[in-house]
Amino acid sequence: MSADGTVGEGCQHSAGCTLRLRLSRDHNEPEFIALLFFLFQITAKAAVIFVTLQYNVTIPATEEQSAETISLYHYGIKDLATIFFYMLVAIIIHAIIQEYILDKINRKMHFSKTKHSKFNESGQLSAFYLFSCVWGTSILVSENYISDPTSLWRDYPHTLIPFQMKFFYILQLAYWFHAFPELYFQKTKKEDIFRQIVYIGLYLFHIAGAYLLNLTHLGLVLLVLHYFVEFLFHISRLFYFSDERYQKGFSLWAVLFVLGRLLTLILSVLTFGFGLARAEDQQLNFSTGNFNILAVRISVLASICMAQAFMMWKFINFQLRRWREHSSSQPQSVKKKFVSAKGKSSRKERENGINGTVTSNGADSPRSRKDKSS
């Protein structure tokens, strides 16, 4: 998705950046304010809703399953307060990374305005994608989702999820919600705002859909797969800005991008077309969180397919534009070399003879002998 997606232009000496710099310098203030809320009994209950995860269910230990009690979670309306709090945390972390890491690199590299904006975008997103990939992979390994692909649809609906799984989804939603105020902080151009809203909205729509429809297992696998490919793109672009001769990362990203789209479609078809389609309980039930009906399966699968088609369309346009730029710049460079070579040869012709070669009698030509004799 981010082959063309940009987060916006740089905003030096703007009111938005001033606010972000102030947030980054005073990033301990929100934690101090939250601590004050915990000190008073009246506000402690409200503060807990914002900071900690809600709707936990304790499953007692049994001799057959486990020797310890297990705490699982489901979702509810109070999750909006938690998402809002961590959205503010994401804004602060965004400002800290921008000021203490990216701005220092920008001052050393002396990028142009366009490269400055794209470098900031890739720096922020590569950090987020790397963090999400590592965390998501650890959840997949600990929950044995990779070793057992049938866990993507087995025992659906997945209404009860472990702590790490719920916290992962909360932070994902919080991060992409924080991208909306960042449009203001970065002073995004008016003509780019709509594209950015679509870019952010696609993430929120699919992540929230997987969370609300209890498709967290499949959503986690697809997110980790997608984030890994996007991380490779943005890290390659960072290396490209430091050295424009670097192109190998983009070639590897292009191959993995296509493979990632195919693998996403395969897993989606297996889950909705075979796994959930053969489940015994296929009745809509809001109380149990079961959305396994034909209309929902077709709608979700169509949404995933349309998203993959949209990304492939953007990818193809991106590759065609790069090919046109490369092909247009190549004849110009060849032409410049030809003109320069022609200019050099003409000067040598005047000095040394034909085609710039030094002849054996170049220094003692018949005309020179004639002039000397006269």
Side-chain angles (χ1 to χ4, degrees), residues 326-341:
H326 179 71
S327 60
S328 62
S329 62
Q330 192 171 8
Q332 293 179 359
S333 61
V334 173
K335 186 177 180 180
K336 290 180 180 179
K337 291 180 180 179
F338 176 75
V339 171
S340 61

Side-chain angles (χ1 to χ4, degrees), residues 36-52:
L36 290 180
F37 277 105
F38 280 105
L39 293 178
F40 301 97
Q41 186 176 2
I42 299 176
T43 58
K45 294 182 180 179
V48 168
I49 296 176
F50 285 90
V51 178
T52 62

Side-chain angles (χ1 to χ4, degrees), residues 345 348-359:
S345 63
K348 290 181 179 180
E349 287 176 6
R350 291 193 299 267
E351 296 175 359
N352 300 327
I354 301 173
N355 293 331
T357 58
V358 180
T359 59

Side-chain angles (χ1 to χ4, degrees), residues 168-169 172 207 218-228:
F168 179 85
Y169 274 93
Q172 293 298 312
I207 295 173
L218 176 65
L220 179 62
V221 174
L222 297 185
L223 270 180
V224 171
L225 177 63
H226 176 74
Y227 282 170
F228 175 75

Side-chain angles (χ1 to χ4, degrees), residues 8-12 17 98 102-103 105-107 110-122 241:
E9 297 294 335
C11 56
Q12 293 180 345
C17 276
Q98 183 65 46
L102 299 179
D103 286 347
I105 298 176
N106 282 320
R107 285 192 291 267
H110 303 287
F111 290 130
S112 63
K113 188 176 181 180
T114 302
K115 283 188 176 182
H116 177 84
S117 174
K118 292 182 178 180
F119 181 85
N120 291 338
E121 173 204 359
S122 294
F241 288 149

Side-chain angles (χ1 to χ4, degrees), residues 7 87 90 125 128-129 171-181 199-201 203-204 207 223 226-227:
V7 177
M87 182 190 73
L125 289 177
F128 169 71
Y129 288 143
L171 291 186
Q172 293 298 312
L173 294 171
Y175 180 86
W176 290 111
F177 271 118
H178 111 282
F180 288 116
Y199 176 71
I200 299 167
Y203 275 105
L204 288 174
I207 295 173
L223 270 180
H226 176 74
Y227 282 170

Side-chain angles (χ1 to χ4, degrees), residues 196-240:
Q196 294 305 318
I197 292 176
V198 172
Y199 176 71
I200 299 167
L202 285 174
Y203 275 105
L204 288 174
F205 177 76
H206 288 88
I207 295 173
Y211 186 64
L212 297 176
L213 296 177
N214 296 314
L215 296 169
T216 51
H217 294 186
L218 176 65
L220 179 62
V221 174
L222 297 185
L223 270 180
V224 171
L225 177 63
H226 176 74
Y227 282 170
F228 175 75
V229 178
E230 292 300 294
F231 167 74
L232 183 60
F233 169 77
H234 287 285
I235 201 68
S236 299
R237 193 158 72 165
L238 291 177
F239 282 110
Y240 173 78

